[in-house]
Amino acid sequence: MKICCLVKEVPDAAVEKRIDPETKRLDRSGEKNLNPFDTHAIEAAMQVKEGGAPVEEIVAVTMGPDSAVRALHKAVALGADRSVHLTDAALEGSDVAATGYALAKVLEKESPDLVLLGQQSDDGECYTIGAVVADHLKMPSLTQVIKMDAADGKLTCERQAEYGYDTVEVELPAVISVGDAINEPRYPSLKAIMGAKKKPLDSHGAGDVGIEPDRVGQSGSRTAVLELRPPPQKEAGEIIEDEDTNETVEKIVVWLDERKLI
Amino acid sequence: MDFDLTDEQRLLRDTVRDFARKEVAPVAEELDRTKAFPYELVSKMGELGLMGIPFPAEHGGGGADTLSYALAVEELTRIDSSVAITMAAHTSLGTMPIHLWGTDEQKDDWLPQLTSGSRLAAFGLTEPEAGSDAGNTKTIARLEDGEWVINGAKQFITNSGTDISGCVTITAATGDGDGRKEISNLIVPNGTPGYEAGEPYRKMGWNASDTRPLTFTDCRVPESSLLGRRGDGFKQFMQILDGGRIGVAAMGVGLAQGALDEAIAYAKERRAFGQPISKFQAIQAKIADLSAQIEASRLLVYRAAIEKDRGDPFTLTAAQAKLITGRLAVRATEEAVQIHGGYGYIEEYPVCRFYRDAKILTIGEGTDEVQQMVIARQLGC
């Protein structure tokens, strides 16, 4: 079995996020890191391998600028066997649909049995890239998977649904987006960190994987960001002083009742 | 000048930062309060390769450079000094002499268990009347029938008395060649008859680190326990202290940064007179000053590490870095307590522990006054 993990370089969680008003894109100039949600996907792949399933290879795949190589180094330090970097100026400004198409083209070349990715990116937070990729690859897709067992060419997954859990069986190949409750990712050991650059890294341009130029980049994207605004400020809540608990409870009940919340 | 860290350095720093926040932070207060040695954390650090960062892979080390080591020490100290000094003393004081001067046999005997963190190493230099003034070493080792017979006492020795302490490298007078005391280094395994680690000290801070006095009473070790050449002890420990200062300076930066992290978080949350106290100019001035001083000190520490990695002389830079970072840590933790007000005096807040942990940084591994002496000598005074 071959597992591909889709990973992304995102601004470090400690960096204050800022939108560039000119490009209406996230300012990615500061410290960057591997998307923390993707570390769960790599860990899930490692656990499938260590759980005894015949995994020949775990491949980390990313699309991004030169600096994204660092995210790949971290991915291989966390256990991936090699990595693939899709990088091309023509891809800059791709929206979710265009990015999903481009990644699917890389994956077609790799033809994995299982594609894993984190539930969301820490910057764009679209939650949708897995579904887009799956659609292009004509593979079944699941989201919010928090438990996964691979056996006999099938995958039994537990999904975290809105009210409870779904147990779903899918045929491989499939695209699985994992929830962050699926595991606690390991730390990369110093040995793995020092060895990261020795693992193979293939770099592809858009043309190398057969990406049609008019389907990617800002011009190839069908959505355009028109305006960005911070979320509205929350109004100050009403504070009820608890002088007499019976009275306080009554006040809260009245407040909730007025708003038809109970 | 290149101010960028390599990918490996950055990844290691981020990993240790993550480890410190997730694994060390939740237990740091309890370890300090109960004065419990962090066995579990040492074991986890060993698994990650953090107990042997700068040593060659062939001896189980990480094969990383001094800057990587300094980054790891800094990130650990940002969360807890006891855990950081346990790792730092083990690496730069305990294991380093064996790596630098050990015979192949000594290295094979000791390095794999030390670099993996399954055993800890200590460095026994300080005595009741001799620390940086090691020419005054009173511990004596006499060669008798193929054995060194050691008599004397050491004090303030980190990592010497834990359940996993493997050995201590000590300085001892091995003779009186031409009127000048001959000092040599000897490896003494824990459990050697005549070698006793005493009760741990009751310290102001670094409560979860193991620090003890040692006594040697007709303690016999094989002649082959000599580390490096006989009579080279003085030169050797001077070199060890130079390198160790980079680690202790990294602790100063880490502790000051940790104090600033806590101070900023608290100042943004705590409200007074209708606004967060972070909006008051008096608080902002403290935070701004500290952040500028921390960044400047950090660069000096990194420079000392880079000089060492390049094989350049680094004695001056390391002493300068040690001098300013120790003082900075004391000031930064004091200001962080001040910003916390009354809560800063309560042990539930990490800055309270930070304040107690800071003071040793102007003392250990050579006092500020000794650093000034080293610096002045380097400047030709």
Side-chain angles (χ1 to χ4, degrees):
Chain A
M1 184 158 70
K2 177 174 178 178
I3 305 178
C4 280
C5 294
L6 294 178
V7 300
K8 186 181 183 187
E9 181 195 47
V10 296
D12 191 82
V15 174
E16 191 96 14
K17 298 202 178 42
R18 205 184 69 87
I19 302 289
D20 183 337
E22 288 287 312
T23 61
K24 300 199 179 68
R25 285 187 220 151
L26 191 68
D27 176 359
R28 290 187 167 87
S29 58
E31 190 99 337
K32 288 179 270 291
N33 212 329
L34 172 64
N35 177 32
F37 294 95
D38 297 338
T39 60
H40 294 278
I42 297 165
E43 180 65 30
M46 291 298 288
Q47 289 186 11
V48 170
K49 186 178 176 179
E50 290 164 357
V55 176
E56 287 91 43
E57 208 182 19
I58 299 172
V59 186
V61 177
T62 198
M63 169 177 137
D66 291 349
S67 61
V69 165
R70 287 196 194 125
L72 291 176
H73 284 156
K74 181 157 182 185
V76 295
L78 284 166
D81 299 297
R82 64 180 176 91
S83 59
V84 177
H85 185 199
L86 174 62
T87 185
D88 203 312
L91 298 165
E92 211 177 300
S94 296
D95 66 3
V96 175
T99 304
Y101 159 72
L103 286 169
K105 296 304 279 183
V106 181
L107 291 170
E108 264 175 25
K109 213 174 148 96
E110 290 287 336
S111 62
D113 302 288
L114 176 61
V115 178
L116 294 173
L117 69 157
Q119 62 179 30
Q120 74 199 80
S121 65
D122 207 25
D123 52 356
E125 302 200 56
C126 289
Y127 290 74
T128 45
I129 205 84
V132 179
V133 166
D135 188 47
H136 283 288
L137 296 175
K138 306 287 176 239
M139 287 182 191
S141 165
L142 288 176
T143 55
Q144 291 294 333
V145 168
I146 54 157
K147 199 163 175 283
M148 206 168 65
D149 289 304
D152 309 325
K154 284 182 191 149
L155 207 58
T156 311
C157 298
E158 200 168 287
R159 289 189 69 234
Q160 195 161 24
E162 200 166 352
Y163 303 103
Y165 301 92
D166 301 336
T167 304
V168 185
E169 192 181 271
V170 289
E171 299 265 345
L172 293 176
V175 179
I176 306 292
S177 154
V178 302
D180 53 5
I182 191 168
N183 54 40
E184 191 56 53
R186 68 196 68 185
Y187 302 98
S189 71
L190 178 56
K191 198 175 159 206
I193 290 171
M194 299 304 285
K197 280 187 183 158
K198 294 186 191 104
K199 291 189 177 177
L201 188 157
D202 296 314
S203 194
H204 299 309
D208 302 336
V209 290
I211 290 171
E212 294 168 36
D214 58 348
R215 295 181 68 179
V216 291
Q218 195 154 13
S219 56
S221 294
R222 297 190 201 171
T223 60
V225 179
L226 301 179
E227 197 187 355
L228 287 157
R229 275 193 305 257
Q233 289 276 339
K234 277 189 190 159
E235 284 174 37
E238 185 182 331
I239 295 170
I240 302 169
E241 291 288 338
D242 183 21
E243 280 152 13
D244 175 313
T245 302
N246 286 334
E247 256 177 54
T248 305
V249 170
E250 211 165 287
K251 280 183 196 164
I252 292 172
V253 169
V254 168
W255 190 93
L256 289 169
D257 194 42
E258 276 170 5
R259 285 159 185 80
K260 309 244 179 290
L261 293 170
I262 48 173
Chain B
M1 279 181 99
D2 186 1
F3 286 96
D4 280 341
L5 299 177
T6 64
D7 280 9
E8 290 86 355
Q9 288 161 347
R10 183 192 297 260
L11 244 172
L12 176 65
R13 180 199 62 187
D14 292 352
T15 301
V16 179
R17 183 178 294 171
D18 213 23
F19 176 84
R21 282 182 191 157
K22 287 191 195 143
E23 311 289 331
V24 182
V27 295
E29 187 274 335
E30 190 189 346
L31 289 171
D32 176 80
R33 175 164 40 82
T34 58
K35 299 179 165 47
F37 185 79
Y39 288 106
E40 207 176 313
L41 289 171
V42 168
S43 159
K44 285 181 183 171
M45 290 196 289
E47 280 169 30
L48 289 178
L50 302 181
M51 298 305 282
I53 292 173
F55 306 111
E58 72 211 60
H59 290 126
D65 52 17
T66 310
L67 181 53
S68 300
Y69 162 71
L71 290 165
V73 171
E74 178 187 337
E75 291 297 336
L76 284 176
T77 320
R78 202 167 161 180
I79 298 296
D80 187 62
S81 293
S82 289
V83 173
I85 187 59
T86 300
M87 180 275 244
H90 168 71
T91 304
S92 70
L93 299 180
T95 311
M96 190 60 84
I98 301 175
H99 160 65
L100 288 177
W101 303 296
T103 60
D104 287 346
E105 202 183 342
Q106 286 168 334
K107 286 183 188 177
D108 289 344
D109 277 356
W110 289 109
L111 290 182
Q113 42 179 339
L114 297 180
T115 54
S116 67
S118 57
R119 289 279 173 173
L120 290 176
F123 187 56
L125 169 67
T126 307
E127 297 189 1
E129 287 174 50
S132 297
D133 172 23
N136 204 24
T137 298
K138 297 279 199 293
T139 299
I140 291 170
R142 276 189 334 270
L143 199 54
E144 257 182 43
D145 308 327
E147 286 182 324
W148 294 102
V149 184
I150 308 165
N151 280 286
K154 298 286 175 181
Q155 64 177 9
F156 308 142
I157 310 304
T158 305
N159 289 343
S160 55
T162 70
D163 297 347
I164 54 170
S165 296
C167 65
V168 61
T169 297
I170 59 160
T171 48
T174 46
D176 271 314
D178 56 35
R180 205 171 159 216
K181 201 175 275 182
E182 177 194 88
I183 310 262
S184 305
N185 275 312
L186 295 166
I187 304 173
V188 185
N190 283 59
T192 306
Y195 163 34
E196 293 285 340
E199 284 298 301
Y201 292 100
R202 292 169 53 227
K203 292 172 290 192
M204 180 193 287
W206 284 9
N207 281 331
S209 110
D210 180 79
T211 324
R212 297 171 191 255
L214 313 180
T215 53
F216 299 89
T217 315
D218 289 330
C219 169
R220 289 170 175 270
V221 291
E223 191 175 353
S224 60
S225 305
L226 183 71
L227 186 60
R229 281 208 315 248
R230 184 171 174 170
D232 272 0
F234 194 85
K235 210 167 67 189
Q236 287 171 343
F237 83 74
M238 290 294 272
Q239 194 177 333
I240 288 298
L241 289 187
D242 272 351
R245 280 173 194 145
I246 296 173
V248 177
M251 288 190 73
V253 173
L255 183 51
Q257 182 66 56
L260 180 64
D261 295 341
E262 294 293 330
I264 292 173
Y266 183 80
K268 283 161 83 169
E269 186 186 290
R270 172 68 199 261
R271 297 176 72 87
F273 306 103
Q275 61 178 351
I277 62 169
S278 63
K279 297 291 172 201
F280 290 107
Q281 227 172 16
I283 302 294
Q284 290 178 347
K286 288 181 198 294
I287 287 171
D289 283 353
L290 285 179
S291 101
Q293 287 155 6
I294 290 169
E295 202 49 46
S297 310
R298 176 177 284 131
L299 291 177
L300 193 57
V301 176
Y302 292 2
R303 180 170 161 177
I306 290 167
E307 285 174 354
K308 182 169 189 285
D309 286 331
R310 283 185 187 153
D312 293 341
F314 64 93
T315 303
L316 174 63
T317 321
Q320 288 169 330
K322 160 84 170 69
L323 179 65
I324 68 160
T325 52
R327 290 173 170 180
L328 174 62
V330 171
R331 193 166 58 249
T333 53
E334 191 203 352
E335 290 287 38
V337 168
Q338 191 67 26
I339 289 170
H340 278 67
Y343 290 109
Y345 202 65
I346 306 292
E347 289 286 1
E348 277 150 47
Y349 286 81
V351 290
C352 188
R353 181 178 84 248
F354 289 178
Y355 185 58
R356 289 185 287 100
D357 284 340
K359 187 57 201 161
I360 187 62
L361 295 178
T362 67
I363 299 168
E365 207 115 346
T367 58
D368 280 3
E369 294 69 21
V370 165
Q371 306 308 321
Q372 289 169 324
M373 205 158 79
V374 172
I375 293 166
R377 274 187 200 150
Q378 289 282 321
L379 299 176
C381 298

